Amino acid sequence: MGSLKSFPALWRTRRWPRLAIFLAGGLLIGIIIGAFMKWRASGSDWATIPPPPRVERPCSPVSGKTAIIVVHGQSNAANWGSARYTAREAVDNFDPATGRCFAAADPLLGTDGMGGSFATHLGDMLIQSGRYDRVILMPIAKGGASLSYLNDEGAELTTNGIAKLKAAGLTPTHILFQQGERDALMTTSAEQYAALLHQLVKRFRAVGFDAPFYVSRSAKCDYAGPTNIAAVRAGQLAAVDAALNIRQGPDTDTIGNEGRSSDGCHMNGIGTLANAALWAAFIK
């Protein structure tokens, strides 16, 4: 199993020149300490702590330097992190329930978790690195969801999100998919996983949403004792498809237990930040 000990090596890759300059200024340490100390709590604590006030902002206009990012998957993409965070930059949260935009603050609107999301940090990173001047996030992930669920009884998460984006005149620039822990508890084969993911992606392609669809390699969830990790991770690789513009995303299983809550599954404050940084390496 991977560890955050290998995480600093990412900063030395060619994908990180501009982001590394930003991080080297000491802001990374400030984000970690501020988020972890201010919002430290277990996932169950958030049920008794109200979310922050929502500040509505206009969704339009958007420019060529606006990233519109759909965040899909299960709990680690669905506000199940143990540390909440409020974006400091021009990061907005498109609410798939109302079709309105709000200043991005955890828990992001659109998912079932009440804690923190890597996407909120990601929005700040993309702006602070100079790649975008505005980021709009639309999370539609659901905790504990299998890929089969997302294609069947949970398909409304995708179809409603698509409909609300189209009604608002917004077209995704990136679709991030972080899921696999549930299927790692099941008997999903690599072939089944890839086929189910293609089925999900085709829902976006059918309406003309052609943004790159990044699939992470995610299956680690220690407390549940997954037995099907190898097949799921193989399926995530096999799902990469040029014709459907499905691309390989980060390997979030490299975030070890020092970045996880006590369950060895969901992210703590440091892990949530590491998760965001892993994703940032793939956003062009």
Side-chain angles (χ1 to χ4, degrees):
M1 189 63 63
S3 168
L4 285 179
K5 293 178 181 178
S6 63
F7 181 61
L10 289 171
W11 313 119
R12 297 193 294 272
T13 68
R14 292 182 179 179
R15 298 181 181 183
W16 288 88
R18 300 180 73 181
L19 186 57
I21 293 172
F22 150 64
L23 294 177
L27 293 179
L28 176 61
I29 295 173
I31 291 173
I32 292 175
I33 295 174
F36 187 66
M37 296 304 294
K38 183 176 181 180
W39 293 110
R40 183 176 56 190
S42 69
S44 59
D45 290 335
W46 293 123
T48 62
I49 300 174
R54 301 296 176 181
V55 178
E56 186 169 3
R57 299 202 285 219
C59 294
S60 297
V62 298
S63 73
K65 291 206 71 176
T66 299
I68 302 173
I69 302 176
V70 176
V71 182
H72 208 347
Q74 61 175 108
S75 57
N76 278 323
N79 296 331
W80 283 68
S82 66
R84 285 181 182 170
Y85 176 74
T86 297
R88 302 176 181 183
E89 307 294 341
V91 183
D92 291 329
N93 177 191
F94 181 84
D95 177 17
T98 64
R100 296 152 59 194
C101 288
F102 300 86
D106 293 336
L108 293 177
L109 299 166
T111 71
D112 61 343
M114 293 299 292
S117 171
F118 76 84
T120 317
H121 282 291
L122 174 63
D124 271 358
M125 288 181 176
L126 294 177
I127 293 171
Q128 290 165 343
S129 67
R131 276 174 275 180
Y132 294 94
D133 57 20
R134 185 186 179 199
V135 174
I136 300 174
L137 305 168
M138 185 185 76
I140 51 174
K142 183 175 177 60
S146 68
L147 195 43
S148 177
Y149 172 88
L150 293 176
N151 272 306
D152 295 325
E153 59 264 47
E156 173 68 11
L157 294 168
T158 302
T159 56
N160 174 68
I162 288 171
K164 292 295 174 50
L165 283 175
K166 289 185 77 69
L170 300 175
T171 300
T173 58
H174 309 79
I175 304 170
L176 314 184
F177 189 73
Q178 184 166 334
Q179 187 276 343
E181 297 90 346
R182 173 59 62 183
D183 285 276
L185 299 175
M186 301 165 65
T187 58
T188 310
S189 69
E191 295 76 15
Q192 288 171 330
Y193 191 97
L196 286 167
L197 190 65
H198 288 183
Q199 181 181 341
L200 179 68
V201 173
K202 288 175 182 177
R203 295 182 186 275
F204 292 95
R205 305 312 185 217
V207 298
F209 285 175
D210 298 323
F213 187 108
Y214 294 91
V215 54
S216 71
R217 301 194 72 195
S218 304
K220 173 179 166 58
C221 195
D222 293 355
Y223 84 95
T227 59
N228 196 39
I229 289 177
V232 168
R233 286 175 58 82
Q236 289 160 347
L237 277 183
V240 174
D241 185 278
L244 287 171
N245 200 9
I246 302 174
R247 306 181 188 184
Q248 185 175 343
D251 188 341
T252 66
D253 285 352
T254 59
I255 301 175
N257 284 347
E258 62 269 42
R260 310 261 177 169
S261 299
S262 58
D263 60 14
C265 184
H266 301 110
M267 305 296 176
N268 60 25
I270 294 173
T272 298
L273 184 60
N275 197 10
L278 287 172
W279 274 110
F282 290 83
I283 306 299
K284 305 300 184 184

